[in-house]
Amino acid sequence: MSDDDPTQRYRPATLAANFPGVEAPDGGVVPPWQPATTYVRGGNQEFTYLRDDGPVIATAEAQLAALEGAVDALLFASGMAAADAVFRTLPPGAHVVVPDVMYWALNAWVKDQGESGHLRVSSVDGADLDAIAAAVRPGETGLVWIETPANPLWTVTDIAGAAEIAHAAGARLAVDSTVATPVLTRPLELGADIVMHSATKYLNGHSDVLAGALASARDDDFWQRVRKVRTLGGAIIGSFEAWLLMRGMRTLSIRVERAAANAIALAGWLTTQPAVSHVLYPGLADHPGHDTAARQMQGGFGAMMSIRLKGGFDAAAKVAATTKLFREATSLGGVESLIEHRAPVEGPQSPCPDDLLRLSVGIEDIEDLKADLAAALAAV
Ligand SMILES: Cc1ncc(COP(=O)(O)O)c(C=O)c1O
């Protein structure tokens, strides 16, 4: 990229709200949606067939690459499809190191890949760099995967430290940065090789698009294979979803800042509530990952937290069913606040205690959010 490349010149808030190049050929300030699945030969040579790529998708990818400071980005039909493409690009039988606290469905999928012999999987405490260092096998480990802050206990991994360990062993570091978003953390600047997002969450932000994203520090053979896996596996995002994602990304920065400001205020208040035994949030000074999070997250600690209730399983079930603004639903990262009793959702393999409620804090008025939780907590 040249020095006057706007993607180098502008900061993430600007790249999200007003990305140079998204305007329509007729001067419209938003890009047109192009639904075509196929392109006339000899016409636009850049695009052939939508399973490979398309103009709306390519524009959204350029925007995401700029936001992450990446050389390239790829969009997928879901976050799971994006993560799967990274693991699938590894040679059969490759050794991978994954954290024991990570998005539960991906954890289950990677373990399944281990049980079926497609991968050799070491699962370690992702917050502990010594444990990661002990698990990597120099020359054998193909990938170290981390998630930070990690769903649903919000453990924090030192990205720069994990990158050093992975690279010393000849492995790549991939970071699920769904919860941090490029507004708060840019993992590639800290040494990661690949960043992954469930774009279903904050990047889109309106709970109306299922999408996944990868962004890469280099356009190397591995990255070209990831692209091939997406094309041949048919895992690309739909063009309308890519258009909606760009629409959502315009407000990414302001949504994330507001939700994170609500979250830190709510976390502090929750620590004073008699029904609550623990508040798991990296923004709190007593969180074990607080210092690392403060170093590698700028402008906030994200808007995801979990609370544990003194009244156990039944109290957690009751609070989740009682809140009104905090809707009882899965997922996260939308403008609306959500609450979920995780242990029954994740099943017996879950690291979640029975009494844990996961909160996705939205952008509503903080006093309304507190009042909603206060009323539900008072009933248990
Ligand atoms: C941290 C994280 N990573 C990955 C995923 C999977 O993304 P998707 O649901 O878009 O497939 C999720 C979904 O909840 C998630 O929370």
Side-chain angles (χ1 to χ4, degrees):
M1 286 185 193
S2 68
D3 281 352
D4 62 354
D5 184 331
T7 61
Q8 298 278 291
R9 195 162 66 231
Y10 296 124
R11 293 176 179 80
T14 308
L15 293 168
N18 188 3
F19 183 63
V22 297
E23 50 287 322
D26 60 10
V29 297
V30 297
W33 175 47
Q34 167 55 275
T37 53
T38 190
Y39 288 81
V40 175
R41 300 251 185 240
N44 181 341
Q45 294 299 320
E46 202 182 338
F47 303 106
T48 313
Y49 186 53
L50 194 60
R51 185 156 44 73
D52 302 336
D53 208 353
V56 186
I57 297 168
T59 307
E61 289 172 342
Q63 183 172 14
L64 187 71
L67 279 166
E68 286 291 4
V71 298
D72 197 15
L74 291 169
L75 286 167
F76 290 79
S78 68
M80 285 295 283
D84 177 58
V86 177
F87 287 100
R88 207 179 279 271
T89 297
L90 296 164
H95 178 246
V96 299
V97 178
V98 300
D100 47 20
V101 176
M102 64 190 281
Y103 173 58
W104 72 284
L106 183 56
N107 194 359
W109 175 235
V110 171
K111 285 194 176 134
D112 181 81
Q113 294 292 295
E115 280 155 22
S116 61
H118 287 106
L119 294 173
R120 285 174 298 145
V121 183
S122 297
S123 191
V124 299
D125 177 355
D128 181 354
L129 289 183
D130 291 340
I132 298 177
V136 290
R137 303 177 191 163
E140 261 185 74
T141 305
L143 183 72
V144 175
W145 182 276
I146 60 172
E147 179 181 324
T148 185
N151 196 349
L153 303 183
W154 318 113
T155 42
V156 172
T157 303
D158 177 336
I159 299 172
E164 226 172 89
I165 295 166
H167 295 160
R172 286 182 171 72
L173 178 74
V175 182
D176 182 340
S177 194
T178 298
V179 168
T181 82
V183 177
L184 304 178
T185 309
R186 303 227 294 175
L188 302 182
E189 286 173 359
L190 297 167
D193 301 287
I194 291 183
V195 183
M196 175 259 160
H197 291 276
S198 166
T200 314
K201 318 299 184 196
Y202 293 98
L203 291 182
N204 176 61
H206 295 78
S207 306
D208 55 8
V209 168
L210 192 70
L214 298 176
S216 178
R218 279 175 304 284
D219 188 4
D220 55 10
D221 286 355
F222 188 86
W223 184 247
Q224 285 310 318
R225 271 197 62 76
V226 173
R227 182 180 281 280
K228 190 169 171 186
V229 163
R230 180 184 75 167
T231 298
L232 298 180
I236 199 168
I237 191 173
S239 60
F240 187 53
E241 281 76 6
W243 189 88
L244 277 174
L245 180 59
M246 269 192 284
R247 189 180 201 278
M249 284 199 290
R250 289 164 79 93
T251 54
L252 174 69
S253 148
I254 198 160
R255 282 187 284 101
V256 169
E257 283 162 15
R258 165 72 176 229
N262 274 352
I264 198 155
L266 202 64
W269 174 81
L270 281 163
T271 60
T272 67
Q273 297 307 296
V276 175
S277 64
H278 300 79
V279 181
L280 313 180
Y281 180 63
L284 294 177
D286 66 353
H287 185 284
H290 177 73
D291 292 346
T292 305
R295 260 199 325 274
Q296 70 189 18
M297 300 180 84
Q298 274 90 46
F301 295 89
M304 291 304 301
M305 73 182 72
S306 295
I307 55 175
R308 296 183 58 188
L309 299 187
K310 289 181 188 155
F313 183 96
D314 292 344
K318 186 158 181 205
V319 168
T322 310
T323 51
K324 293 194 167 57
L325 277 180
F326 276 89
R327 315 255 190 103
E328 189 180 14
T330 200
S331 200
L332 55 104
V335 290
E336 64 287 313
S337 294
L338 302 177
I339 189 166
E340 195 176 36
H341 189 192
R342 281 305 287 184
V345 172
E346 297 194 8
Q349 305 295 324
S350 169
C352 282
D354 268 4
D355 56 11
L356 181 141
L357 290 169
R358 187 180 78 178
L359 307 181
S360 173
V361 181
I363 65 168
E364 303 92 333
D365 187 289
I366 182 67
E367 296 308 323
D368 289 337
L369 293 179
K370 279 187 198 165
D372 190 41
L373 283 172
L377 290 170
V380 294

